[in-house]
């Protein structure tokens, strides 16, 4: 039976996880959610997976929107993998609830800790710590593949009750503000008008105006524009200029350029 893995990624963590999971499963194909969000999608695979990051302690808005496109697949085996850098909270339980609203069942949900990329709050962790997380993810992915390949029902993973409840409230109150949060981005004097920020944005939220990036108010807060800028010229707020950038070392810029379709 074939598997389709739909993924959303900004700095490469989820593409890395999705690729490794596809390799473990064998008969699997990868589909970038951003490239099909406004198109008809192929649900011919018997197993359907979602791989996405935790943003503001919940699901990326684009993934929540994408779930509506899956409602024709009521006879499928659905699973989800959420990567997180800080708190995973109730993200996968949120996923399960949104599935249930369309008559779908999330049969298994898995959390994988990866290096965080939210430079407005912190810089990248050191390479040793990054590599430790990558190694730990390999074992988790092998276990996920074993469960998915046999279509088992497994526990929907979550944070502790108190942590999940508190931060889920933050998501509920704040997620609607995410698209307009791109007002915090700005280019500094190092910007050379290369346009990579435009090409790497998964939701076409950046354009060049008079040679400088301009954000259009439909942000996902994925940080792709900031993290992939070769000049490190894109800043957010007042504190990112001296913080170390991060994107997954095994994911290349070219892997994400096709997001702009």
């Amino acid at each position: 039976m074939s598997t389709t893995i739909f993924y959303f990624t900004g700095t490469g963590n989820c593409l890395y996880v999705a690729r490794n999971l596809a390799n473990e499963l064998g008969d699997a194909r990868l589909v970038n959610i951003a490239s099909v969000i406004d198109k008809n999608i192929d649900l011919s695979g018997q197993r359907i997976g979602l791989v996405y990051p935790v943003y503001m302690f919940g699901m990326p808005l684009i993934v929540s929107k994408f779930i509506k496109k899956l409602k024709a697949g009521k006879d499928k085996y659905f699973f989800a993998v959420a990567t997180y850098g800080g708190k995973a909270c109730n993200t996968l339980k949120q996923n399960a609830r949104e599935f249930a609203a369309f008559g779908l069942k999330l049969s298994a949900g898995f959390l994988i800790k990866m290096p965080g990329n939210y430079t407005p709050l912190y810089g990248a962790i050191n390479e040793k710590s990054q590599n430790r997380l990558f190694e730990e993810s390999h074992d988790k992915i092998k276990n996920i593949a074993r469960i998915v390949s046999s279509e088992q029902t497994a526990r929907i993973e979550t944070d502790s009750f108190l942590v999940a409840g508190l931060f889920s409230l933050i998501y509920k109150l704040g997620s609607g503000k995410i698209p307009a949060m791109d007002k915090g981005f700005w280019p500094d004097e190092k910007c050379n008008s290369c346009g990579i920020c435009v090409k790497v944005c998964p939701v076409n939220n950046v354009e060049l105006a008079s040679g400088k990036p301009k954000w259009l108010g439909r942000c996902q807060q994925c940080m792709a524009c900031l993290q992939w800028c070769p000049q490190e010229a894109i800043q957010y707020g007042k504190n990112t200029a001296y913080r170390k950038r991060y994107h997954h070392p095994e994911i290349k810029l070219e892997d994400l350029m096709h997001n702009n379709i």
Side-chain angles (χ1 to χ4, degrees), residues 5-20 30-37 49-55 59-64 66 81-84 112 114-117 134 196-205 219-228 246-261:
I5 300 173
F6 294 98
Y7 70 91
F8 176 72
T9 196
T11 51
N13 283 339
C14 286
L15 177 53
Y16 173 80
V17 168
R19 279 181 176 174
N20 281 307
L30 299 180
V31 179
N32 177 9
I33 287 174
S35 72
V36 297
I37 188 65
L50 298 180
V51 179
Y52 56 83
V54 175
Y55 287 168
M59 296 172 62
L61 298 180
I62 190 174
V63 178
S64 184
F66 180 74
V81 181
T83 68
Y84 67 102
I112 296 182
M114 296 289 277
N117 67 359
F134 301 151
I196 285 176
C197 53
V198 176
K199 297 173 183 177
V200 81
C201 177
V203 293
N204 298 314
N205 185 49
C219 189
Q220 294 288 320
Q221 284 285 286
C222 73
M223 294 290 137
C225 57
L226 183 150
Q227 302 291 3
W228 288 99
Y246 169 82
H247 49 76
H248 196 285
E250 293 188 23
I251 302 301
K252 306 302 182 186
L253 178 61
E254 292 76 16
D255 295 326
L256 302 184
M257 299 284 260
H258 68 278
N259 287 0
N260 259 47
I261 296 177

Side-chain angles (χ1 to χ4, degrees), residues 80-126:
V81 181
T83 68
Y84 67 102
K87 298 294 184 182
C89 303
N90 259 341
T91 302
L92 290 167
K93 293 289 183 70
Q94 176 195 355
N95 192 156
R97 288 194 300 270
E98 294 193 11
F99 265 38
F102 294 104
L104 306 174
K105 178 184 177 182
L106 184 65
S107 293
F110 310 95
L111 296 172
I112 296 182
K113 187 172 180 61
M114 296 289 277
N117 67 359
Y118 200 67
T119 309
L121 292 182
Y122 50 78
I125 60 176
N126 61 63

Side-chain angles (χ1 to χ4, degrees), residues 16-261:
Y16 173 80
V17 168
R19 279 181 176 174
N20 281 307
L21 181 55
N23 289 336
E24 289 291 333
L25 289 169
D27 184 13
R29 67 187 182 99
L30 299 180
V31 179
N32 177 9
I33 287 174
S35 72
V36 297
I37 188 65
D38 294 318
K39 301 178 182 178
N40 293 326
I41 59 171
D42 179 2
L43 292 178
S44 58
Q46 178 56 30
R47 296 183 292 259
I48 306 294
L50 298 180
V51 179
Y52 56 83
V54 175
Y55 287 168
M56 197 183 280
F57 315 116
M59 296 172 62
L61 298 180
I62 190 174
V63 178
S64 184
K65 177 182 177 182
F66 180 74
I67 286 174
K68 298 175 184 178
K69 302 177 74 69
L70 301 175
K71 56 188 177 182
K74 294 184 178 180
D75 60 337
K76 308 295 183 179
Y77 173 87
F78 286 100
F79 66 96
V81 181
T83 68
Y84 67 102
K87 298 294 184 182
C89 303
N90 259 341
T91 302
L92 290 167
K93 293 289 183 70
Q94 176 195 355
N95 192 156
R97 288 194 300 270
E98 294 193 11
F99 265 38
F102 294 104
L104 306 174
K105 178 184 177 182
L106 184 65
S107 293
F110 310 95
L111 296 172
I112 296 182
K113 187 172 180 61
M114 296 289 277
N117 67 359
Y118 200 67
T119 309
L121 292 182
Y122 50 78
I125 60 176
N126 61 63
E127 289 187 11
K128 182 178 179 180
S129 297
Q130 290 181 26
N131 290 331
R132 176 178 55 80
L133 292 177
F134 301 151
E135 288 298 320
E136 291 173 355
S137 76
H138 295 164
D139 291 337
K140 185 69 177 278
I141 290 169
K142 288 180 183 294
N143 187 51
I144 293 171
R146 177 184 60 79
I147 292 170
V148 169
S149 62
S150 56
E151 299 188 7
Q152 298 178 38
T153 297
R155 180 176 68 90
I156 307 298
E157 296 180 357
T158 186
D159 266 330
S160 68
F161 178 78
L162 290 177
V163 168
L166 173 62
F167 287 98
S168 294
L169 179 61
I170 294 174
Y171 178 87
K172 183 177 181 180
L173 295 174
S175 61
K177 301 176 183 178
I178 289 175
M181 288 173 66
D182 61 5
K183 293 177 181 177
F185 288 110
W186 55 279
D188 67 21
E189 70 282 354
K190 298 189 298 294
C191 176
N192 63 2
S193 306
C194 70
I196 285 176
C197 53
V198 176
K199 297 173 183 177
V200 81
C201 177
V203 293
N204 298 314
N205 185 49
V206 188
E207 66 180 17
L208 291 186
S210 300
K212 301 299 179 183
K214 175 184 177 182
W215 288 263
L216 305 176
R218 49 176 182 263
C219 189
Q220 294 288 320
Q221 284 285 286
C222 73
M223 294 290 137
C225 57
L226 183 150
Q227 302 291 3
W228 288 99
C229 175
Q231 306 300 321
E232 297 189 3
I234 292 178
Q235 310 301 336
Y236 190 92
K238 299 179 180 180
N239 300 312
T240 59
Y242 301 103
R243 287 179 179 160
K244 185 178 179 181
R245 272 38 176 179
Y246 169 82
H247 49 76
H248 196 285
E250 293 188 23
I251 302 301
K252 306 302 182 186
L253 178 61
E254 292 76 16
D255 295 326
L256 302 184
M257 299 284 260
H258 68 278
N259 287 0
N260 259 47
I261 296 177

